[in-house]
Amino acid sequence: MTLDQLIVTLVGAIAIAGVGAFFLLPKGSETRAVLGSSGFQEAMVLVKGGYEPDLIVADAGKPIRLTFLREESGACSERVVLADFHKSAELPEGQQVSIDLPAARAGEYLFQCGMGMLRGKLVIR
């Protein structure tokens, strides 16, 4: 293998790793769900190139309401899936959609778009 081939191979490998990290790793924003007057712990999630925040922390044993607001038109984010709770919802662009979750035990629960490209996590403590 020549030096040119080695450099091209390394650059290609780095680019592939970068694309994989962009889609598969959490973006790092976190928020705590706030107890609302409805009795639900509530959090708002903006859907725009990912989930913001992509990490939501809530207390165990209390119901949770996640409200999604989708501000993009990409087909990937048209649906959110919370497989652990057997729930999913269409997310029309520009409209808020709330998903009520029952009180759950401590653990980590993923939510993702219908294609599995956008991911977020609900951590219940």
Side-chain angles (χ1 to χ4, degrees):
M1 180 179 281
T2 66
L3 181 60
D4 293 344
Q5 291 172 327
L6 180 62
I7 291 172
V8 169
T9 301
L10 287 174
V11 170
I14 291 169
I16 290 170
V19 170
F22 176 80
F23 285 110
L24 299 177
L25 296 178
K27 303 296 186 271
S29 61
E30 175 182 332
T31 194
R32 174 166 269 289
V34 177
L35 185 61
S37 59
S38 62
F40 284 85
Q41 299 176 86
E42 300 178 355
M44 172 71 83
V45 180
L46 176 65
V47 182
K48 188 174 183 181
Y51 297 115
E52 177 65 33
D54 62 357
L55 177 59
I56 299 166
V57 178
D59 294 327
K62 298 176 185 170
I64 300 166
R65 176 173 290 150
L66 299 179
T67 301
F68 292 86
L69 175 59
R70 183 169 161 248
E71 291 188 348
E72 66 177 22
S73 60
C76 182
S77 61
E78 290 177 341
R79 173 169 288 277
V80 64
V81 178
L82 295 103
D84 293 319
F85 294 95
H86 305 288
K87 296 210 176 206
S88 68
E90 292 290 326
L91 301 177
E93 185 177 353
Q95 296 180 27
Q96 293 185 8
V97 176
S98 294
I99 300 174
D100 293 341
L101 305 173
R105 289 186 277 177
E108 295 185 357
Y109 305 91
L110 299 178
F111 55 94
Q112 63 184 25
C113 70
M115 297 180 184
M117 305 280 288
L118 308 177
R119 296 172 186 214
K121 186 185 300 181
L122 174 63
V123 176
I124 299 178
R125 296 181 180 150

